Amino acid sequence: MVPYLNQIIKETLRLHPTGPFLFPRLCRESVVLAGYMVPVEIHIVINAWAIMRNPIYWEDPESFRPERFDESAADFRAANFEFIPFGGGRRVCPGMQFAMASIWCSLAHLLFYFDWELPQQKRPQELDIEEDLNLTLTQKMIYA
Ligand code: HEM
């Protein structure tokens, strides 16, 4: 149960990262990346949301499949740059451990103490989880 809960949290953060764009970086020297010239002093915004749904790195990327982290060595320390819900490098989220402990503890309690079901006998596939892409990722239906 414990490892599976970790996999669920990872898969949730992969598909729905709290911060879809990392903080901007300033390019310190001109470089050609993937055929694109990136000039010095330009600001770069990294789209973590897109990287974590890129089919080059993720099999069946749109599916919620926590089991995928069973095989994958991806962790939060951004050694694997395809999985960066907390960013990476010098500006990696310093609250990462605290965030993980809080999510883990709250989720474990919610699952242990309550019996969950969807309203109006809805099936999970019918649940509207469409997102609003902003500075932070929110659910559209909350504001509807
Ligand atoms: C699920 C929870 C959280 C997620 C997904 C998250 C994600 C992120 C991301 C993606 C960044 C940008 C990293 C980068 O650009 O490389 C960031 C930065 C940051 N986070 Fe978090 N964070 C979370 C919780 C927290 C918590 C609980 C704290 C503090 C207690 C925190 C404090 C910070 C700070 C101070 C920065 C700026 C670091 C810097 O610019 O040097 N975060 N976070």
Side-chain angles (χ1 to χ4, degrees), residues 3-4 6-8 10-11 63-72:
Y4 194 58
N6 281 331
Q7 290 168 23
I8 290 173
K10 282 183 173 183
E11 182 68 336
S63 300
F64 185 84
R65 219 157 45 80
E67 296 77 16
R68 69 172 80 243
F69 285 100
D70 218 8
E71 309 117 41
S72 159

Side-chain angles (χ1 to χ4, degrees), residues 13 17-25 48 84-96 98-100 102-103:
L13 287 170
T18 319
F21 302 108
L22 303 188
F23 290 157
R25 264 67 173 178
I84 45 172
F86 292 100
R90 284 186 190 180
R91 308 306 294 267
V92 70
C93 174
M96 179 167 57
F98 179 68
M100 278 309 289
S102 317
I103 298 172

